[in-house]
Amino acid sequence: MTSTADALQQRLSELESHLEQENPVLLSAVQSFRVLDRVAYRMGLMAPNQSFATQIPWWPLISILGTFSAGKSTFINYYLGHKLQRSGNQAVDDRFTVIVYSPEDISHTLPGVALDSDPRFPFFRMSHAIEEVAGGEGSRIDTYLQLKTCNSERLRGKIIIDSPGFDADAQRTGVLRITDHMIDLSDLVLVFFDARHPEPGAMRDTLKHLVSDTIKRADAGKFLYILNQLDSAAGEDNPEDVVAAWLRSIGEAGLTAGRFYTIYCPEVAIHIADEHRRKRFEKKRDEDLNDIYRRMEHVEVERAYRIIAALRKSVTEFTRDSVPLLQETMRRWRRRTLVTESVLLIGAVAGFMTWSLQANHWQGMTYHAEWLELVKSIPWGVMGLEGALLVLAILIHFAIRHLAALSLMHWLRKRVEKINPPGNVVAAFKNNTRFWRPVILGRPFGWGRKTRTELDEVLQSCESYIQTLNERFTNPNRSKG
């Protein structure tokens, strides 16, 4: 039977085979992830059945967020050319739907456990994250997630994630956790608003979560804000007022720059009797839809940069957070152990001297006592006494170092919770304080000059990967010809 560690290595090998033809730069990134994995294995910061490479999705991800009845499902169906998602004026689905390509003509819908248990998809072990913020909800993963397949060429090589209608006031904690996780992983995020409800001022909390909390991100450029179903405003005396109202509200939420799209789906559009107005609406709609589709089709570019950024972030946080925290904990452990042993030794010597002086065992600088003469009279008595004292000292030493390690666990867990370093620092500390590990070293096993050099080389490789991607997608040095 194949072990989980072997299965992991098999998945990484399959990923490398796939990337060898698709994107050699990302193939090199997988190999750099393997270097980081080996360092983490040696230091005990990661189990052999885990990998930093499996903590990020390797497929390009497009997430679609939006308010209730904002037309997200209709947009997806029109883009894919299949009536895959149910649509309507009311909320018709309260689960996140991960949509992937399938060569089969028939679409399949699979439960959330299919995503929660498969590391190839972006919601691997999502049930654990939900359980952390909403106790008891992790076991109900099927009520949060589902997987759908679709035979659409536009899905080849990418994943689309459709979210339930968003209302920050009424949203469950688990849904908000999944939403944030989905945003973090995505290469492109489409945020939909409904032009048929031009009262965005009443959606202050929702706008905060979908706009204010996103524009401060380093990757804010991956968000596209879309006012959908604008055809409903065609009958207004001044339809531009609808757009202006949304722009003001989004501006108040903090979005003062960036592209704001206005679209509607041609298949379900309201008939616009005025020909001049209809052509104006259609022209603007087609221009914005083409821009959105262009970003969706080029999401592979964002994916490549995201993965390199994730590699650099993993190595940086590993050397900046995980290793120093483990080193500091090891130093504290060594200090507590040595100080405690020193105090006990001094106390034992002081106690012995006090007792022996009171009992008049000393004659000048020479120690004479009846019990010692009795021990000497017994064959192997002195050696037996020395052996017993040595065994007692060893037992006390290991008891002290064990208690010193236990006394640090609460502090360490608090620090891990605060800074959330990569890898399992608690497990690594336990491994570094086992009985065969000398206290005097005071540094983590597997960490040294060679290891630092390996990680420095990975960081330097990240710069090389970025330059290669720049040359591939921008070619700044290529002369016109």
Side-chain angles (χ1 to χ4, degrees):
M1 181 176 178
T2 304
S3 68
T4 54
D6 291 339
L8 170 67
Q9 296 305 317
Q10 178 63 29
R11 286 198 297 270
L12 292 179
S13 296
E14 292 172 356
L15 177 62
E16 289 174 327
S17 298
H18 171 72
L19 293 173
E20 187 173 6
Q21 297 298 325
E22 184 206 345
N23 194 328
V25 175
L26 295 185
L27 169 62
S28 299
V30 178
Q31 295 166 350
S32 293
F33 270 113
R34 285 184 181 273
V35 173
L36 179 58
D37 288 343
R38 286 195 294 269
V39 172
Y41 297 153
R42 290 200 301 265
M43 297 184 66
L45 283 161
M46 183 174 284
N49 62 347
Q50 297 175 317
S51 171
F52 284 101
T54 62
Q55 296 177 6
I56 58 172
W58 288 79
W59 287 3
L61 293 182
I62 302 172
S63 290
I64 299 181
L65 294 168
T67 55
F68 286 106
S69 69
K72 302 186 305 298
S73 297
T74 302
F75 172 83
I76 291 173
N77 292 341
Y78 183 69
Y79 174 73
L80 297 178
H82 291 75
K83 294 190 179 300
L84 184 69
Q85 296 290 82
R86 292 182 298 164
S87 59
N89 291 330
Q90 303 297 323
V92 294
D93 206 335
D94 61 352
R95 287 179 291 181
F96 291 84
T97 303
V98 177
I99 306 171
V100 299
Y101 173 79
S102 172
E104 298 183 14
D105 293 331
I106 300 176
S107 175
H108 297 284
T109 301
L110 304 177
V113 68
L115 297 165
D116 189 59
S117 304
D118 193 331
R120 295 176 299 173
F121 295 114
F123 294 113
F124 179 54
R125 293 181 178 171
M126 194 67 219
S127 59
H128 298 277
I130 295 175
E131 187 68 26
E132 291 177 0
V133 296
E137 289 294 297
S139 60
R140 302 177 62 247
I141 191 66
D142 290 345
T143 65
Y144 288 92
L145 301 172
Q146 64 182 352
L147 173 66
K148 284 189 178 181
T149 63
C150 179
N151 184 10
S152 171
E153 288 299 316
R154 280 183 158 172
L155 267 179
R156 280 186 179 272
K158 63 174 66 71
I159 294 175
I160 292 179
I161 308 174
D162 185 20
S163 65
F166 196 90
D167 183 350
D169 293 331
Q171 213 70 274
R172 290 174 293 173
T173 304
V175 172
L176 293 176
R177 180 62 176 265
I178 296 178
T179 300
D180 292 338
H181 178 74
M182 181 178 74
I183 290 174
D184 288 339
L185 295 180
S186 296
D187 302 296
L188 184 66
V189 181
L190 310 184
V191 183
F192 278 73
F193 299 102
D194 187 358
R196 297 174 302 173
H197 300 89
E199 296 181 357
M203 303 168 54
R204 187 167 302 167
D205 289 341
T206 296
L207 285 175
K208 179 181 184 300
H209 205 93
L210 295 182
V211 178
S212 300
D213 292 347
T214 58
I215 59 178
K216 301 173 184 177
R217 299 168 56 101
D219 56 358
K222 71 183 183 182
F223 292 85
L224 306 184
Y225 300 94
I226 302 167
L227 182 59
N228 195 18
Q229 301 173 138
L230 190 64
D231 54 315
S232 62
E236 302 287 336
D237 292 335
N238 189 4
E240 285 77 10
D241 288 344
V242 174
V243 178
W246 276 99
L247 288 175
R248 282 195 301 272
S249 295
I250 292 183
E252 291 173 359
L255 183 65
T256 58
R259 184 69 183 275
F260 188 82
Y261 299 87
T262 54
I263 65 170
Y264 60 93
C265 179
E267 290 184 343
V268 295
I270 298 173
H271 177 67
I272 303 175
D274 186 298
E275 182 178 359
H276 175 72
R277 179 172 291 185
R278 184 182 71 251
K279 288 183 177 179
R280 181 160 58 90
F281 269 63
E282 290 176 348
K283 181 175 182 296
K284 182 65 168 64
R285 176 203 67 196
D286 292 342
E287 288 176 352
D288 283 4
L289 277 176
N290 287 335
D291 281 350
I292 294 170
Y293 289 169
R294 191 177 300 113
R295 284 293 302 270
M296 295 175 73
E297 292 305 314
H298 287 84
V299 73
E300 293 88 352
V301 177
E302 282 85 353
R303 182 274 303 258
Y305 283 98
R306 167 176 60 82
I307 289 176
I308 302 305
L311 171 61
R312 182 166 55 191
K313 181 173 181 286
S314 297
V315 177
T316 300
E317 292 183 349
F318 186 88
T319 55
R320 184 194 65 198
D321 298 332
S322 302
V323 175
L325 178 57
L326 182 57
Q327 288 176 317
E328 172 63 19
T329 311
M330 292 290 294
R331 284 194 293 266
R332 288 176 177 241
W333 171 67
R334 181 181 63 174
R335 185 164 56 248
R336 289 192 183 189
T337 300
L338 295 179
V339 167
T340 303
E341 289 181 337
S342 298
V343 169
L344 287 179
L345 179 61
I346 292 173
V349 172
F352 175 78
M353 291 301 297
T354 301
W355 169 71
S356 62
L357 287 172
Q358 290 178 348
N360 296 318
H361 291 167
W362 292 91
Q363 296 178 4
M365 298 297 294
T366 306
Y367 181 78
H368 293 282
E370 294 182 2
W371 69 269
L372 182 58
E373 297 301 325
L374 179 62
V375 169
K376 290 180 178 180
S377 66
I378 302 174
W380 304 98
V382 175
M383 294 183 62
L385 176 61
E386 292 174 346
L389 291 175
L390 178 61
V391 170
L392 179 61
I394 292 174
L395 292 176
I396 292 175
H397 167 73
F398 282 107
I400 290 172
R401 57 183 280 162
H402 178 67
L403 291 174
L406 289 179
S407 69
L408 286 167
M409 293 306 295
H410 178 72
W411 174 84
L412 178 57
R413 289 193 173 96
K414 284 288 187 181
R415 293 291 298 163
V416 168
E417 183 179 345
K418 181 178 180 180
I419 66 177
N420 192 27
N424 192 335
V425 180
V426 174
F429 176 63
K430 290 180 179 179
N431 185 59
N432 274 275
T433 55
R434 296 187 185 278
F435 69 91
W436 62 80
R437 292 284 297 145
V439 175
I440 198 64
L441 292 180
R443 63 177 178 82
F445 180 77
W447 181 253
R449 182 179 300 176
K450 179 181 178 182
T451 302
R452 286 193 294 268
T453 300
E454 288 177 322
L455 296 183
D456 287 342
E457 290 175 353
V458 172
L459 283 176
Q460 292 174 5
S461 297
C462 289
E463 297 180 1
S464 175
Y465 299 154
I466 293 294
Q467 292 175 8
T468 302
L469 291 175
N470 289 342
E471 292 173 358
R472 176 178 178 183
F473 295 122
T474 65
N475 254 337
N477 295 325
R478 177 182 292 179
S479 59
K480 294 182 180 180

